[in-house]
Amino acid sequence: LRSPFVERPMTKATSLLIRVLFCCCAMGLAMAPAQAGWKEANAALQKGDNAAALRQIRPLAEAGDAAAQYMLGYLLSTADGIEHDLTEAFKWYTIALARGQRAAAGARALIGRKLGNFKAAEAQRQAMQWLNEHRETATPQAPTPKSKQPRK
């Protein structure tokens, strides 16, 4: 492999490093719109405009951002100026919990008690359907440790 900028040939390691850096930069550029959405949502929350924050957070949650999924559940369940939808909040808390947002567990449990078994089960079904449809955007889970097998 030859670099157009350097007289001597690139090693395979250098070529790989350049490719990895390029991919990291591309991923950073892809995340820029999501960061902008968070910035605008935070500004709206600071002003007390929960409806505007909801408009910014929902696309991030639907795109697979686990923190946004938790925040969407929070806004739908407690925020002033927004019509509360506990079934939808339960769904997003369930998704956030499945994606690693442990703080969603307590809020989900409280809402589940308010909803009752039937509505909570329906919201759970919707959450599982969403997770199955969006597997490619799911946050990778940490590998589970292999159980020790006895020596023969």
Side-chain angles (χ1 to χ4, degrees), residues 27-42 56 60 65:
M27 287 177 14
L29 291 174
M31 292 184 67
Q35 291 174 351
W38 272 109
K39 193 177 202 179
E40 292 165 357
N42 189 36
Q56 295 299 322
L60 298 175
D65 185 324

Side-chain angles (χ1 to χ4, degrees), residues 88-99:
E88 188 75 2
F90 187 91
K91 170 188 151 183
W92 286 107
Y93 276 136
T94 301
I95 293 167
L97 182 61
R99 305 280 308 284

Side-chain angles (χ1 to χ4, degrees), residues 15-112:
S15 176
L16 178 63
L17 178 63
I18 290 171
R19 288 180 186 157
V20 168
L21 289 173
F22 176 78
C23 289
C24 290
C25 290
M27 287 177 14
L29 291 174
M31 292 184 67
Q35 291 174 351
W38 272 109
K39 193 177 202 179
E40 292 165 357
N42 189 36
L45 288 170
Q46 295 291 328
K47 292 178 188 172
D49 189 355
N50 293 329
L54 181 67
R55 286 191 301 275
Q56 295 299 322
I57 292 291
R58 188 178 295 274
L60 298 175
E62 291 171 350
D65 185 324
Q69 291 160 348
Y70 173 82
M71 181 57 78
L72 182 56
Y74 174 79
L75 289 171
L76 289 170
S77 62
T78 61
D80 294 333
I82 297 173
E83 185 177 337
H84 293 179
D85 184 345
L86 294 182
T87 304
E88 188 75 2
F90 187 91
K91 170 188 151 183
W92 286 107
Y93 276 136
T94 301
I95 293 167
L97 182 61
R99 305 280 308 284
Q101 293 291 319
R102 292 184 180 158
R108 182 181 174 272
L110 289 172
I111 292 174

